[in-house]
Amino acid sequence: MARFLVIDDEQGIREVLSDILRDEGHEVLAAEDGIVGLRMLKTEPIDVVFLDVWLPNKGGIEVLQEIKQEYPEIEVIVISGHGNIDMAVRAVKMGAFDFLEKPLGLDRVLTVAGNAYKFEQLRRENTQLKLQGGHQEILGNSPGIAQVRHIIEQAAGTDSRILITGENGTGKELVAREIHQRSRRARRPFIEVNCAAIPDSLIESELFGHEKGAFTSAVGKRRGRFELADGGTLFLDEVADMSMSAQAKVLRAVQEFRFERVGGEESITADVRVIAATNKDIRAEIEAGNFREDLFFRLNVVPIHVPPLRERQDDIELLTDHFLDMFSSQHARPRPRISRPGMQRMREYHWPGNIRELKNMLERITIMAEDVDVGVAEVEASMGSGEDPVEDLLARFEGMTLGEAREQFERELIEKKLQQHDNNISQTAQALGVYPSNLHGKIRKLRIHVGK
Ligand SMILES: Nc1ncnc2c1ncn2[C@@H]1O[C@H](COP(=O)(O)OP(=O)(O)OP(=O)(O)O)[C@@H](O)[C@H]1O
Ligand SMILES: [Mg+2]
């Protein structure tokens, strides 16, 4: 629910807008001129203002300037009559969110009002995020990431559809946000849909919205993400996880910029740039019959592959420096320094969880490190909390023969159990299900040091 203020000298317009918005459950205040409107803003928390450009007393443009100066977070939608569209255009150039032309159409009012409110919310969130550290730049100088940056520069300014591929945690979402930021849509919403997180039965209404009563739980009318993204960017994350029926609908929406709400007849149009991402091998999904080839061709106009971290080892040090700076200031801890061998170990590691894993590990080190100097042992101890524990485990035995791997595993397990039982041999043997004599033999053979 949002709070709107309508500033218009025509009573009819004030009433129509109030009715439409109140029907949607919003709160609406109204003022008959700019002076009264500005006075209300002083005391009432308002999200979005509808402002007539042609007003008695104080002119609309002047009121707009004052609102934007005093309350930059409030979005203003300008209303213009037939004769003063150029004034509305001027208002948009001066920072108004959008304009509506009289006579007011119900759907257009709702779309613009919804978008302005959503945008205002996103901006509040962004301000919040900025306070917490700001928009993350894509860091790295490796050829792989330089190539990604190059494609972003070329494609961002166009409206081309983009398909981003790459393993978990490689930075796909970051790339999508960067493209939006650098596009002419940057001031409009960036709307994300995680196709894997939304149950199949709800994905259509999530994407396209629904009419009241379209299905049992559809209590009110609801706009979908395609509509919310109007003028901006729609990010279809984990796109390969969408059902075939949802894919068919998305294909049409992407082809024709036209769709219907679930349970609705009316065709709705939206001006949306689509960026999709997946960590799956989408060609294999097509082979297996899980993904529509025609949709793939539609989405894959500009492909961007974000390489895994292990293929850009040269970036590890730079990223590490950045994250250590960030976390030490965020958690008010001394800035850890990673030793040469520790850094070497990080370069050799295969990073199944990619940058997200690196980031988590460095946060852990920043919080847990006993000393600012972090050696290879601590680096290793903080590793292996990637996305796939089995992969992590297997990686530790990389390059060993079966015999060596078995011995290494036995050594680690016995050491751990000894520690847990205060080096008591008979208790440890019992926990491991072997005879104490057997355990003694292993300890000798594997050269395990039993401390006291
Ligand atoms: N090049 C980079 N420079 C700085 N930070 C990065 C970079 N790449 C990724 N990150 C950070 O790593 C984390 C993971 O990135 P992101 O969420 O974009 O990955 P993803 O590919 O979308 O992952 P998933 O497949 O799991 O959804 C984020 O916190 C992001 O800010
Ligand atoms: Mg992601």
Side-chain angles (χ1 to χ4, degrees):
M1 194 202 67
R3 289 174 63 96
F4 291 90
L5 170 64
V6 181
I7 309 178
D8 199 308
D9 58 327
E10 259 182 75
Q11 191 184 357
I13 297 283
R14 292 199 300 270
E15 277 171 11
V16 165
L17 280 176
S18 302
D19 284 350
I20 294 177
L21 296 167
R22 280 190 189 126
D23 268 357
E24 293 283 302
H26 300 300
E27 240 177 274
V28 189
L29 298 174
E32 64 277 12
D33 67 30
I35 293 164
V36 177
L38 285 166
R39 202 184 305 135
M40 281 180 171
L41 285 174
K42 279 206 170 74
T43 51
E44 301 289 336
I46 295 291
D47 300 303
V48 178
V49 173
F50 282 91
L51 174 69
D52 188 357
V53 278
W54 195 254
L55 283 173
N57 302 329
K58 213 176 199 139
I61 295 284
E62 212 180 316
V63 176
L64 169 70
Q65 273 174 327
E66 236 171 275
I67 296 177
K68 279 281 141 186
Q69 202 171 348
E70 291 289 313
Y71 317 96
E73 72 287 357
I74 294 181
E75 292 302 341
V76 180
I77 297 166
V78 162
I79 307 168
S80 81
H82 207 58
N84 44 29
I85 292 214
D86 43 332
M87 244 164 105
V89 173
R90 211 175 114 215
V92 169
K93 286 201 181 118
M94 286 170 45
F97 181 77
D98 207 339
F99 69 87
L100 293 172
E101 213 185 324
K102 288 181 204 169
L104 302 179
L106 173 73
D107 257 315
R108 172 99 180 120
V109 167
L110 287 177
T111 307
V112 175
N115 285 345
Y117 175 52
K118 184 87 197 170
F119 191 69
E120 189 250 12
Q121 275 183 313
L122 286 174
R123 205 165 48 191
R124 275 182 210 264
E125 272 169 34
N126 276 339
T127 318
Q128 213 43 40
L129 283 178
K130 286 231 175 65
L131 292 175
Q132 294 163 8
H135 167 69
Q136 175 66 59
E137 249 183 283
I138 299 177
L139 299 173
N141 300 318
S142 59
I145 215 70
Q147 170 69 6
V148 167
R149 234 186 262 122
H150 179 65
I151 306 175
I152 293 176
E153 262 159 40
Q154 286 189 309
T158 73
D159 262 349
S160 62
R161 285 181 289 272
I162 296 179
L163 180 64
I164 308 169
T165 53
E167 292 178 10
N168 284 327
T170 45
K172 296 184 294 299
E173 182 171 341
L174 199 62
V175 167
R177 287 183 186 276
E178 179 76 16
I179 294 166
H180 175 74
Q181 282 302 319
R182 288 166 168 264
S183 77
R184 64 179 177 83
R185 296 169 178 266
R187 274 182 43 81
R188 294 312 195 90
F190 176 90
I191 304 285
E192 188 188 339
V193 188
N194 185 338
C195 304
I198 301 168
D200 214 37
S201 57
L202 292 181
I203 188 124
E204 269 177 46
S205 92
E206 203 51 54
L207 288 172
F208 306 114
H210 59 71
E211 296 295 339
K212 194 168 170 172
F215 44 90
T216 346
S217 58
V219 277
K221 181 162 102 173
R222 183 157 175 236
R223 275 182 292 280
R225 309 270 174 116
F226 262 93
E227 253 178 285
L228 291 172
D230 189 31
T233 305
L234 181 70
F235 178 44
L236 296 175
D237 203 3
E238 318 281 2
V239 72
D241 294 76
M242 209 161 41
S243 72
M244 290 303 264
S245 80
Q247 287 175 37
K249 300 254 161 58
V250 168
L251 177 68
R252 176 163 171 252
V254 165
Q255 253 166 346
E256 301 173 15
F257 298 103
R258 172 183 295 282
F259 51 89
E260 287 91 39
R261 296 198 187 104
V262 176
E265 303 273 292
E266 178 200 5
S267 272
I268 294 168
T269 54
D271 163 28
V272 171
R273 182 205 207 155
V274 175
I275 302 179
T278 180
N279 54 20
K280 289 201 171 151
D281 178 350
I282 203 152
R283 284 172 209 276
E285 295 297 314
I286 295 171
E287 289 282 286
N290 297 328
F291 200 82
R292 292 181 68 116
E293 191 172 32
D294 47 6
L295 179 57
F296 169 70
F297 286 130
R298 281 282 161 185
L299 297 176
N300 196 40
V301 178
V302 177
I304 299 184
H305 178 68
V306 191
L309 189 54
R310 65 184 159 280
E311 285 173 21
R312 32 176 164 139
Q313 292 169 337
D314 289 343
D315 288 341
I316 291 179
E317 189 154 353
L318 183 132
L319 286 164
T320 299
D321 276 340
H322 165 76
F323 289 133
L324 288 176
D325 285 342
M326 183 175 107
F327 288 127
S328 55
S329 87
Q330 191 175 317
H331 298 297
R333 303 281 298 177
R335 160 75 155 78
R337 278 192 304 255
I338 301 201
S339 70
R340 278 280 121 211
M343 193 47 91
Q344 188 51 35
R345 182 70 192 86
M346 287 169 64
R347 290 176 64 100
E348 289 158 6
Y349 181 55
H350 68 302
W351 300 109
N354 292 291
I355 304 199
R356 180 173 303 112
E357 182 184 2
L358 174 71
K359 198 173 162 183
N360 289 344
M361 167 186 152
L362 293 168
E363 180 165 21
R364 222 163 23 240
I365 285 185
T366 308
I367 295 170
M368 309 294 277
E370 311 261 326
D371 187 357
V372 287
D373 286 304
V374 176
V376 74
E378 285 149 289
V379 165
E380 276 176 357
S382 328
M383 270 175 176
S385 309
E387 310 269 300
D388 186 342
V390 177
E391 272 287 309
D392 283 350
L393 184 67
L394 291 179
R396 285 169 43 205
F397 302 107
E398 189 71 23
M400 293 184 192
T401 65
L402 185 59
E404 285 165 351
R406 189 187 299 123
E407 283 192 0
Q408 180 60 24
F409 178 74
E410 285 188 343
R411 184 179 294 118
E412 286 183 29
L413 183 66
I414 293 172
E415 279 171 352
K416 184 160 184 207
K417 288 287 161 190
L418 278 167
Q419 242 178 23
Q420 283 173 0
H421 294 92
D422 277 337
N423 296 319
N424 180 314
I425 299 288
S426 58
Q427 278 179 19
T428 305
Q430 198 179 6
L432 290 167
V434 298
Y435 291 111
S437 57
N438 193 332
L439 182 58
H440 272 300
K442 292 263 181 211
I443 288 171
R444 258 196 316 277
K445 182 169 170 246
L446 299 172
R447 299 171 191 281
I448 293 171
H449 176 71
V450 186
K452 256 286 163 233

